[in-house]
Coordinates of all heavy atoms in Angstrom, one line a residue:
E1 N 0.8 -1.2 0.0 CA 0.0 0.0 0.0 C 0.9 1.2 0.0 O 1.7 1.4 0.9 CB -0.9 -0.1 1.2 CG -1.4 1.2 1.8 CD -2.3 0.9 2.9 OE1 -3.3 0.2 2.8 OE2 -2.0 1.5 4.0
R2 N 0.7 2.1 -1.0 CA 1.6 3.2 -1.2 C 1.5 4.3 -0.1 O 2.4 5.0 0.2 CB 1.4 3.8 -2.6 CG 1.9 3.1 -3.7 CD 1.9 3.8 -5.0 NE 0.7 4.6 -5.2 CZ -0.2 4.4 -6.0 NH1 -0.2 3.3 -6.7 NH2 -1.3 5.2 -6.1
A3 N 0.3 4.4 0.5 CA 0.1 5.5 1.5 C 1.0 5.3 2.7 O 1.4 6.3 3.3 CB -1.4 5.5 2.0
N4 N 1.5 4.1 2.9 CA 2.4 3.9 4.1 C 3.8 3.6 3.6 O 4.7 3.5 4.5 CB 1.9 2.7 4.9 CG 0.6 3.0 5.6 OD1 0.4 4.1 6.0 ND2 -0.2 2.0 5.7
S5 N 4.1 3.6 2.3 CA 5.5 3.4 1.9 C 6.2 4.7 1.8 O 5.6 5.8 1.9 CB 5.5 2.7 0.5 OG 5.1 3.6 -0.5
G6 N 7.5 4.7 1.6 CA 8.3 5.9 1.5 C 8.3 6.6 0.2 O 8.8 7.7 0.0
V7 N 7.8 5.9 -0.8 CA 7.9 6.5 -2.2 C 6.5 7.1 -2.6 O 5.5 6.5 -2.5 CB 8.3 5.3 -3.2 CG1 8.4 5.8 -4.6 CG2 9.6 4.7 -2.8
S8 N 6.6 8.3 -3.2 CA 5.4 9.0 -3.7 C 5.5 9.0 -5.2 O 6.5 9.3 -5.8 CB 5.4 10.4 -3.1 OG 5.4 10.4 -1.8
E9 N 4.3 8.8 -5.8 CA 4.2 8.8 -7.3 C 4.0 10.2 -7.9 O 4.3 10.4 -9.0 CB 3.2 7.8 -7.7 CG 3.6 6.4 -7.5 CD 2.7 5.4 -8.2 OE1 1.8 5.9 -9.0 OE2 2.8 4.2 -8.0
N10 N 3.4 11.1 -7.0 CA 3.1 12.4 -7.6 C 3.0 13.4 -6.4 O 3.1 13.1 -5.3 CB 1.8 12.4 -8.4 CG 0.6 11.9 -7.6 OD1 0.4 12.3 -6.5 ND2 -0.1 10.9 -8.1
E11 N 2.7 14.7 -6.8 CA 2.7 15.7 -5.8 C 1.6 15.6 -4.7 O 1.8 15.8 -3.5 CB 2.5 17.1 -6.5 CG 2.6 18.3 -5.5 CD 2.4 19.6 -6.1 OE1 2.5 19.7 -7.4 OE2 2.2 20.6 -5.4
T12 N 0.4 15.1 -5.2 CA -0.7 14.9 -4.3 C -0.3 13.8 -3.3 O -0.6 14.0 -2.1 CB -2.0 14.5 -5.1 OG1 -2.3 15.5 -6.0 CG2 -3.1 14.2 -4.1
E13 N 0.2 12.7 -3.7 CA 0.7 11.7 -2.8 C 1.7 12.2 -1.8 O 1.7 11.8 -0.6 CB 1.2 10.5 -3.6 CG 1.1 9.2 -2.8 CD 1.4 8.0 -3.7 OE1 0.6 7.7 -4.6 OE2 2.4 7.4 -3.4
R14 N 2.7 13.0 -2.3 CA 3.7 13.6 -1.4 C 3.0 14.4 -0.3 O 3.4 14.4 0.8 CB 4.7 14.4 -2.2 CG 5.8 13.7 -2.8 CD 6.9 14.6 -3.3 NE 6.5 15.5 -4.4 CZ 6.3 15.1 -5.6 NH1 6.6 13.9 -6.0 NH2 5.9 16.0 -6.5
T15 N 2.0 15.2 -0.7 CA 1.3 16.1 0.2 C 0.6 15.2 1.3 O 0.7 15.5 2.5 CB 0.3 17.0 -0.5 OG1 1.0 17.8 -1.4 CG2 -0.4 17.9 0.5
L16 N -0.1 14.2 0.9 CA -0.7 13.3 1.8 C 0.2 12.7 2.8 O 0.0 12.6 4.0 CB -1.5 12.2 1.1 CG -2.6 12.6 0.1 CD1 -3.2 11.4 -0.7 CD2 -3.7 13.3 0.9
K17 N 1.4 12.2 2.3 CA 2.4 11.6 3.2 C 3.0 12.7 4.2 O 3.2 12.4 5.3 CB 3.5 11.0 2.4 CG 3.0 9.7 1.7 CD 4.0 9.0 1.0 CE 3.4 7.8 0.3 NZ 4.4 6.9 -0.3
R18 N 3.1 13.9 3.7 CA 3.7 15.0 4.6 C 2.7 15.2 5.7 O 3.1 15.4 6.9 CB 3.9 16.2 3.8 CG 5.2 16.3 3.1 CD 5.5 17.6 2.5 NE 5.6 18.7 3.5 CZ 5.7 20.0 3.2 NH1 5.6 20.4 2.0 NH2 5.9 20.8 4.2
V19 N 1.4 15.2 5.4 CA 0.4 15.5 6.5 C 0.4 14.3 7.5 O 0.4 14.6 8.7 CB -1.0 15.6 5.8 CG1 -2.1 15.6 6.9 CG2 -1.1 16.9 5.0
L20 N 0.4 13.1 7.0 CA 0.5 12.0 7.9 C 1.7 12.0 8.8 O 1.7 11.7 10.0 CB 0.4 10.6 7.1 CG -0.9 10.3 6.5 CD1 -0.8 9.1 5.6 CD2 -2.0 10.2 7.5
R21 N 2.9 12.3 8.2 CA 4.1 12.4 8.9 C 4.0 13.5 10.0 O 4.5 13.3 11.1 CB 5.3 12.7 8.0 CG 6.1 11.5 7.6 CD 7.4 11.8 7.0 NE 7.4 12.9 6.0 CZ 7.1 12.8 4.7 NH1 6.9 11.6 4.2 NH2 7.2 13.8 3.9
A22 N 3.4 14.6 9.6 CA 3.3 15.7 10.6 C 2.4 15.3 11.8 O 2.8 15.6 12.9 CB 2.7 17.0 9.9
V23 N 1.3 14.6 11.5 CA 0.5 14.1 12.6 C 1.3 13.2 13.5 O 1.3 13.3 14.7 CB -0.8 13.4 12.1 CG1 -1.6 12.7 13.2 CG2 -1.7 14.5 11.4
D24 N 2.0 12.2 12.9 CA 2.8 11.3 13.6 C 3.9 12.0 14.5 O 4.1 11.7 15.6 CB 3.5 10.3 12.7 CG 2.6 9.3 12.0 OD1 1.4 9.2 12.5 OD2 3.0 8.7 11.0
E25 N 4.6 13.0 13.9 CA 5.6 13.7 14.6 C 5.0 14.5 15.8 O 5.6 14.4 16.9 CB 6.3 14.7 13.7 CG 7.2 14.1 12.6 CD 7.7 15.1 11.6 OE1 7.4 16.3 11.7 OE2 8.3 14.6 10.6
L26 N 3.9 15.1 15.7 CA 3.3 15.8 16.8 C 2.9 14.8 17.9 O 3.1 15.1 19.1 CB 2.1 16.6 16.3 CG 2.4 17.9 15.6 CD1 1.1 18.4 14.9 CD2 3.0 18.9 16.5
E27 N 2.4 13.7 17.5 CA 2.0 12.7 18.5 C 3.2 12.2 19.3 O 3.2 12.0 20.5 CB 1.2 11.5 17.9 CG -0.2 12.0 17.5 CD -1.0 10.9 16.8 OE1 -0.4 9.8 16.5 OE2 -2.2 11.1 16.6
Q28 N 4.3 12.0 18.5 CA 5.6 11.5 19.1 C 6.2 12.5 20.0 O 6.9 12.2 21.0 CB 6.6 11.1 18.0 CG 6.2 9.8 17.3 CD 7.1 9.5 16.1 OE1 8.0 10.3 15.8 NE2 6.8 8.4 15.4
E29 N 6.0 13.8 19.7 CA 6.5 14.9 20.6 C 5.6 15.1 21.8 O 5.9 16.0 22.6 CB 6.6 16.2 19.8 CG 7.6 16.1 18.7 CD 7.4 17.3 17.7 OE1 6.7 18.3 18.0 OE2 8.1 17.3 16.6
G30 N 4.5 14.4 21.9 CA 3.5 14.5 23.0 C 2.6 15.7 22.9 O 2.0 16.1 23.8
K31 N 2.5 16.2 21.6 CA 1.6 17.3 21.4 C 0.4 16.9 20.7 O 0.3 15.8 20.0 CB 2.3 18.4 20.4 CG 3.5 19.0 21.0 CD 4.1 20.0 20.1 CE 5.4 20.6 20.6 NZ 6.0 21.5 19.6
R32 N -0.7 17.6 20.8 CA -1.9 17.3 20.1 C -1.9 17.9 18.7 O -1.3 18.9 18.5 CB -3.1 18.0 20.8 CG -3.3 17.4 22.2 CD -4.6 17.9 22.9 NE -4.7 19.3 22.9 CZ -5.8 19.9 23.5 NH1 -6.8 19.2 24.0 NH2 -5.9 21.2 23.5
A33 N -2.3 17.1 17.7 CA -2.2 17.5 16.3 C -3.5 18.4 16.0 O -4.4 17.9 15.3 CB -2.2 16.3 15.4
T34 N -3.4 19.6 16.5 CA -4.5 20.6 16.2 C -4.2 21.2 14.8 O -3.1 21.1 14.3 CB -4.5 21.7 17.3 OG1 -3.3 22.4 17.2 CG2 -4.8 21.1 18.6
M35 N -5.2 21.8 14.3 CA -5.0 22.5 13.0 C -3.9 23.5 13.1 O -3.1 23.7 12.2 CB -6.3 23.1 12.5 CG -6.2 23.6 11.1 SD -5.7 22.4 9.9 CE -7.2 21.5 9.6
T36 N -3.8 24.3 14.2 CA -2.8 25.3 14.4 C -1.4 24.7 14.3 O -0.5 25.1 13.6 CB -3.0 26.0 15.8 OG1 -4.3 26.6 15.7 CG2 -2.0 27.1 16.0
E37 N -1.2 23.6 15.1 CA 0.1 22.9 15.1 C 0.4 22.3 13.7 O 1.6 22.4 13.3 CB 0.1 21.8 16.1 CG 0.1 22.3 17.6 CD 1.4 23.0 18.0 OE1 2.5 22.7 17.4 OE2 1.4 23.8 18.9
L38 N -0.6 21.8 13.1 CA -0.3 21.2 11.7 C 0.0 22.3 10.7 O 0.8 22.1 9.9 CB -1.5 20.3 11.3 CG -1.6 19.0 12.1 CD1 -3.0 18.4 11.9 CD2 -0.5 18.1 11.7
C39 N -0.7 23.4 10.8 CA -0.4 24.5 9.9 C 1.0 25.0 10.0 O 1.7 25.3 9.0 CB -1.4 25.6 10.1 SG -3.0 25.3 9.4
R40 N 1.5 25.0 11.3 CA 2.9 25.4 11.5 C 3.8 24.5 10.8 O 4.8 24.9 10.2 CB 3.1 25.5 13.0 CG 2.5 26.7 13.6 CD 2.9 26.8 15.1 NE 2.1 28.0 15.7 CZ 1.6 28.0 16.9 NH1 1.6 26.9 17.6 NH2 0.9 29.0 17.3
K41 N 3.6 23.2 11.0 CA 4.5 22.2 10.4 C 4.3 22.1 8.9 O 5.3 21.7 8.2 CB 4.2 20.8 11.0 CG 4.8 20.6 12.4 CD 4.8 19.1 12.7 CE 5.6 18.8 13.9 NZ 7.0 18.8 13.6
L42 N 3.2 22.5 8.4 CA 2.9 22.3 6.9 C 2.8 23.6 6.2 O 2.1 23.7 5.2 CB 1.6 21.5 6.7 CG 1.7 20.1 7.4 CD1 0.3 19.5 7.4 CD2 2.6 19.2 6.6
Q43 N 3.4 24.7 6.7 CA 3.2 26.0 6.1 C 3.7 26.1 4.7 O 3.3 27.0 3.9 CB 3.8 27.1 7.0 CG 5.2 27.0 7.3 CD 5.6 28.0 8.3 OE1 5.1 29.1 8.3 NE2 6.5 27.7 9.2
G44 N 4.5 25.1 4.2 CA 5.0 25.2 2.9 C 4.0 24.6 1.8 O 4.2 24.8 0.7
I45 N 2.9 24.1 2.3 CA 1.8 23.6 1.5 C 0.7 24.6 1.4 O 0.2 25.1 2.5 CB 1.2 22.3 2.0 CG1 2.3 21.2 2.1 CG2 0.1 21.8 1.1 CD1 1.9 19.9 2.8
D46 N 0.3 25.0 0.2 CA -0.8 26.0 0.2 C -2.1 25.6 0.8 O -2.3 24.4 0.9 CB -0.9 26.6 -1.2 CG -1.7 25.8 -2.2 OD1 -2.7 25.1 -1.8 OD2 -1.4 25.8 -3.4
L47 N -2.9 26.5 1.2 CA -4.1 26.2 2.0 C -5.1 25.2 1.3 O -5.5 24.3 1.9 CB -4.9 27.5 2.3 CG -6.2 27.4 3.0 CD1 -5.9 26.8 4.4 CD2 -6.8 28.8 3.1
K48 N -5.3 25.4 0.0 CA -6.2 24.5 -0.7 C -5.7 23.1 -0.7 O -6.4 22.2 -0.5 CB -6.5 25.0 -2.1 CG -7.5 24.1 -2.9 CD -7.7 24.6 -4.3 CE -8.7 23.7 -5.0 NZ -9.0 22.4 -4.6
K49 N -4.4 22.9 -1.0 CA -3.8 21.6 -1.1 C -3.9 20.9 0.3 O -4.1 19.7 0.4 CB -2.4 21.6 -1.6 CG -2.3 21.9 -3.1 CD -0.9 21.9 -3.6 CE -0.9 22.3 -5.1 NZ 0.5 22.5 -5.6
R50 N -3.6 21.7 1.3 CA -3.6 21.2 2.7 C -5.0 20.8 3.1 O -5.2 19.7 3.6 CB -3.1 22.3 3.7 CG -2.6 21.8 5.0 CD -1.9 22.9 5.7 NE -2.6 24.1 5.9 CZ -2.1 25.3 5.6 NH1 -0.9 25.5 5.2 NH2 -2.8 26.4 5.8
R51 N -6.0 21.6 2.8 CA -7.4 21.3 3.1 C -7.9 20.0 2.3 O -8.5 19.1 2.9 CB -8.4 22.4 2.7 CG -8.4 23.5 3.7 CD -9.4 24.6 3.4 NE -9.4 25.6 4.3 CZ -9.8 26.8 4.1 NH1 -10.4 27.1 3.0 NH2 -9.8 27.8 5.1
D52 N -7.5 19.9 1.0 CA -7.8 18.8 0.2 C -7.2 17.5 0.8 O -7.8 16.4 0.8 CB -7.3 19.0 -1.2 CG -8.2 20.0 -2.0 OD1 -9.2 20.4 -1.5 OD2 -7.7 20.4 -3.1
A53 N -5.9 17.6 1.3 CA -5.2 16.5 1.9 C -5.9 16.0 3.1 O -6.1 14.8 3.3 CB -3.8 16.9 2.2
F54 N -6.3 16.9 4.0 CA -7.0 16.5 5.2 C -8.4 15.8 4.9 O -8.7 14.8 5.4 CB -7.3 17.7 6.1 CG -6.1 18.1 7.0 CD1 -5.4 19.3 6.6 CD2 -5.7 17.3 8.0 CE1 -4.3 19.6 7.4 CE2 -4.6 17.7 8.7 CZ -3.9 18.9 8.4
Q55 N -9.1 16.4 3.9 CA -10.4 15.8 3.5 C -10.2 14.4 2.9 O -10.9 13.5 3.3 CB -11.0 16.7 2.5 CG -12.4 16.2 2.1 CD -13.1 17.1 1.1 OE1 -12.7 18.2 0.9 NE2 -14.2 16.6 0.6
T56 N -9.2 14.3 2.1 CA -8.9 13.0 1.5 C -8.5 11.9 2.5 O -9.0 10.8 2.5 CB -7.8 13.1 0.4 OG1 -8.2 14.0 -0.6 CG2 -7.4 11.7 -0.2
L57 N -7.6 12.3 3.4 CA -7.2 11.4 4.4 C -8.3 11.0 5.4 O -8.4 9.8 5.8 CB -6.0 12.0 5.2 CG -4.7 12.1 4.4 CD1 -3.7 12.9 5.1 CD2 -4.1 10.7 4.1
R58 N -9.2 11.9 5.7 CA -10.4 11.5 6.5 C -11.3 10.6 5.8 O -11.8 9.6 6.3 CB -11.0 12.8 7.0 CG -10.2 13.6 8.0 CD -10.9 14.9 8.4 NE -12.1 14.6 9.1 CZ -13.0 15.6 9.4 NH1 -12.7 16.9 9.1 NH2 -14.1 15.3 10.1
E59 N -11.6 11.0 4.5 CA -12.5 10.1 3.7 C -12.0 8.7 3.5 O -12.8 7.8 3.4 CB -12.8 10.8 2.4 CG -13.7 12.0 2.5 CD -13.9 12.8 1.2 OE1 -13.2 12.4 0.2 OE2 -14.6 13.8 1.2
C60 N -10.7 8.6 3.4 CA -10.1 7.3 3.2 C -9.8 6.5 4.4 O -9.4 5.4 4.4 CB -8.8 7.4 2.4 SG -9.0 8.0 0.7
G61 N -10.1 7.1 5.6 CA -9.9 6.4 6.9 C -8.5 6.4 7.4 O -8.2 5.6 8.3
Y62 N -7.7 7.3 7.0 CA -6.3 7.4 7.5 C -6.2 8.3 8.7 O -5.3 8.2 9.5 CB -5.3 7.9 6.4 CG -5.0 6.8 5.4 CD1 -5.6 6.9 4.2 CD2 -4.2 5.7 5.7 CE1 -5.4 6.0 3.2 CE2 -3.9 4.8 4.7 CZ -4.6 4.9 3.5 OH -4.3 4.0 2.5
L63 N -7.1 9.3 8.8 CA -7.2 10.3 9.9 C -8.6 10.4 10.4 O -9.6 10.2 9.7 CB -6.8 11.7 9.4 CG -5.4 12.0 9.1 CD1 -5.3 13.5 8.7 CD2 -4.5 11.8 10.3
I64 N -8.7 10.6 11.7 CA -10.0 11.0 12.3 C -9.8 12.3 12.9 O -8.7 12.7 13.3 CB -10.5 9.9 13.3 CG1 -9.5 9.8 14.5 CG2 -10.8 8.6 12.7 CD1 -10.1 9.0 15.6
A65 N -10.9 13.0 13.0 CA -10.9 14.4 13.6 C -11.8 14.3 14.8 O -13.0 13.9 14.7 CB -11.4 15.4 12.6
V66 N -11.3 14.7 16.0 CA -12.0 14.6 17.2 C -12.1 16.1 17.7 O -11.1 16.8 17.9 CB -11.3 13.8 18.3 CG1 -12.0 13.7 19.6 CG2 -11.1 12.4 17.7
E67 N -13.4 16.5 18.0 CA -13.6 17.8 18.5 C -13.6 17.8 20.0 O -14.3 17.0 20.7 CB -14.9 18.4 18.0 CG -15.0 19.9 18.1 CD -16.2 20.4 17.4 OE1 -16.1 20.6 16.2 OE2 -17.3 20.6 18.0
V68 N -12.7 18.6 20.6 CA -12.5 18.6 22.1 C -12.9 20.0 22.6 O -12.4 21.0 22.1 CB -11.0 18.4 22.4 CG1 -10.8 18.4 23.9 CG2 -10.6 17.0 21.9
P69 N -13.8 20.0 23.6 CA -14.2 21.4 24.1 C -13.1 22.0 24.9 O -12.3 21.3 25.5 CB -15.4 21.0 25.0 CG -15.3 19.6 25.3 CD -14.5 18.9 24.2
T70 N -13.0 23.3 24.8 CA -12.0 24.0 25.7 C -12.8 25.2 26.3 O -14.0 25.3 26.1 CB -10.9 24.7 24.8 OG1 -11.4 25.6 23.9 CG2 -10.2 23.6 24.0
A71 N -12.1 26.0 27.1 CA -12.8 27.1 27.8 C -13.4 28.1 26.9 O -14.4 28.7 27.2 CB -11.8 27.8 28.7
T72 N -12.8 28.3 25.7 CA -13.4 29.3 24.8 C -14.1 28.7 23.6 O -15.3 29.0 23.4 CB -12.2 30.2 24.2 OG1 -11.2 29.4 23.7 CG2 -11.6 31.0 25.4
K73 N -13.5 27.9 22.8 CA -14.1 27.2 21.7 C -13.6 25.8 21.5 O -12.5 25.6 21.9 CB -14.0 28.1 20.4 CG -12.5 28.2 20.0 CD -12.4 29.0 18.7 CE -11.0 29.1 18.3 NZ -10.8 29.7 17.0
P74 N -14.4 25.0 20.8 CA -13.8 23.6 20.6 C -12.6 23.6 19.7 O -12.5 24.4 18.8 CB -15.0 22.9 19.9 CG -16.2 23.8 20.0 CD -15.7 25.2 20.3
V75 N -11.7 22.7 19.9 CA -10.5 22.5 19.1 C -10.6 21.1 18.4 O -11.0 20.1 19.0 CB -9.3 22.5 20.0 CG1 -8.0 22.2 19.2 CG2 -9.2 23.9 20.6
T76 N -10.3 21.1 17.1 CA -10.3 19.8 16.4 C -8.9 19.2 16.5 O -7.9 19.9 16.2 CB -10.7 20.0 14.9 OG1 -12.0 20.6 14.9 CG2 -10.7 18.7 14.2
I77 N -8.8 18.0 16.9 CA -7.5 17.2 17.0 C -7.6 16.1 16.0 O -8.6 15.3 15.9 CB -7.3 16.7 18.4 CG1 -7.3 17.8 19.4 CG2 -6.1 15.8 18.5 CD1 -7.2 17.4 20.8
F78 N -6.5 16.0 15.2 CA -6.5 14.9 14.2 C -5.6 13.8 14.8 O -4.6 14.0 15.4 CB -5.8 15.5 12.9 CG -6.7 16.4 12.2 CD1 -6.6 17.8 12.5 CD2 -7.6 16.0 11.3 CE1 -7.4 18.7 11.9 CE2 -8.5 17.0 10.7 CZ -8.4 18.3 11.0
R79 N -6.1 12.6 14.5 CA -5.4 11.4 15.0 C -5.3 10.4 13.8 O -6.1 10.3 13.0 CB -6.2 10.7 16.1 CG -6.2 11.5 17.4 CD -6.6 10.7 18.5 NE -6.6 11.6 19.7 CZ -7.6 11.7 20.6 NH1 -8.7 11.1 20.4 NH2 -7.4 12.5 21.6
R80 N -4.1 9.7 13.8 CA -3.9 8.7 12.8 C -4.6 7.5 13.1 O -4.7 7.0 14.2 CB -2.4 8.5 12.8 CG -1.9 7.5 11.8 CD -1.6 8.2 10.5 NE -1.1 7.3 9.5 CZ 0.1 7.2 9.1 NH1 1.0 7.9 9.7 NH2 0.5 6.3 8.2
V81 N -5.2 6.9 12.1 CA -5.9 5.6 12.2 C -4.9 4.5 11.6 O -4.4 4.7 10.5 CB -7.2 5.6 11.4 CG1 -7.9 4.2 11.5 CG2 -8.1 6.7 11.9
N82 N -4.7 3.5 12.4 CA -3.9 2.4 11.9 C -4.7 1.6 10.9 O -5.7 1.0 11.2 CB -3.4 1.5 13.0 CG -2.4 2.2 13.9 OD1 -1.7 3.1 13.5 ND2 -2.5 1.9 15.2
V83 N -4.2 1.6 9.6 CA -4.9 0.9 8.6 C -4.1 -0.3 8.2 O -2.9 -0.2 7.9 CB -5.1 1.8 7.3 CG1 -5.8 1.0 6.2 CG2 -5.9 3.1 7.7
S84 N -4.7 -1.5 8.3 CA -4.0 -2.7 7.8 C -4.9 -3.4 6.8 O -6.2 -3.4 7.0 CB -3.7 -3.6 9.0 OG -4.9 -3.9 9.7
E85 N -4.3 -4.0 5.8 CA -5.1 -4.7 4.8 C -5.1 -6.1 5.1 O -4.3 -6.7 5.6 CB -4.5 -4.4 3.4 CG -4.6 -3.0 3.1 CD -4.2 -2.7 1.6 OE1 -4.9 -3.2 0.7 OE2 -3.2 -2.1 1.5

């Protein structure tokens, strides 16, 4: 399965893998993968491509988004879903 391999066939696939790596890195650092944290890590990707990547990864079951209430407004946290075939 290419989504988990290290080789990308095109720019879209590279973007998807960068997003997944960013989520993994934040989790390994003990941080929550909020949109703010992910935008900081992925600022080299333009907004539309970044949004498309998140939507694609959620629709394909690689990421889930969990809304967490805070004192002011809810925060969306992205988590990686372990996909095995």
Side-chain angles (χ1 to χ4, degrees):
E1 151 178 307
R2 284 192 322 254
N4 291 327
S5 73
V7 179
S8 302
E9 290 192 6
N10 57 50
E11 183 181 348
T12 301
E13 199 170 296
R14 272 192 302 278
T15 300
L16 296 174
K17 288 182 182 189
R18 277 187 66 191
V19 170
L20 290 173
R21 263 194 317 272
V23 171
D24 290 343
E25 288 170 6
L26 286 167
E27 288 179 352
Q28 288 172 1
E29 294 168 9
K31 297 180 181 176
R32 298 190 301 180
T34 63
M35 188 57 79
T36 302
E37 289 292 334
L38 288 165
C39 285
R40 287 182 184 140
K41 281 197 168 283
L42 301 168
Q43 57 187 324
I45 302 172
D46 77 36
L47 180 61
K48 182 180 180 342
K49 288 180 183 174
R50 202 168 51 231
R51 283 185 181 159
D52 289 347
F54 280 107
Q55 181 177 352
T56 299
L57 291 168
R58 288 174 68 187
E59 288 174 356
C60 293
Y62 289 101
L63 284 181
I64 59 170
V66 179
E67 198 168 277
V68 178
T70 65
T72 53
K73 63 178 184 175
V75 173
T76 302
I77 298 173
F78 292 91
R79 293 195 177 127
R80 182 87 181 257
V81 176
N82 292 329
V83 179
S84 57
E85 293 186 67

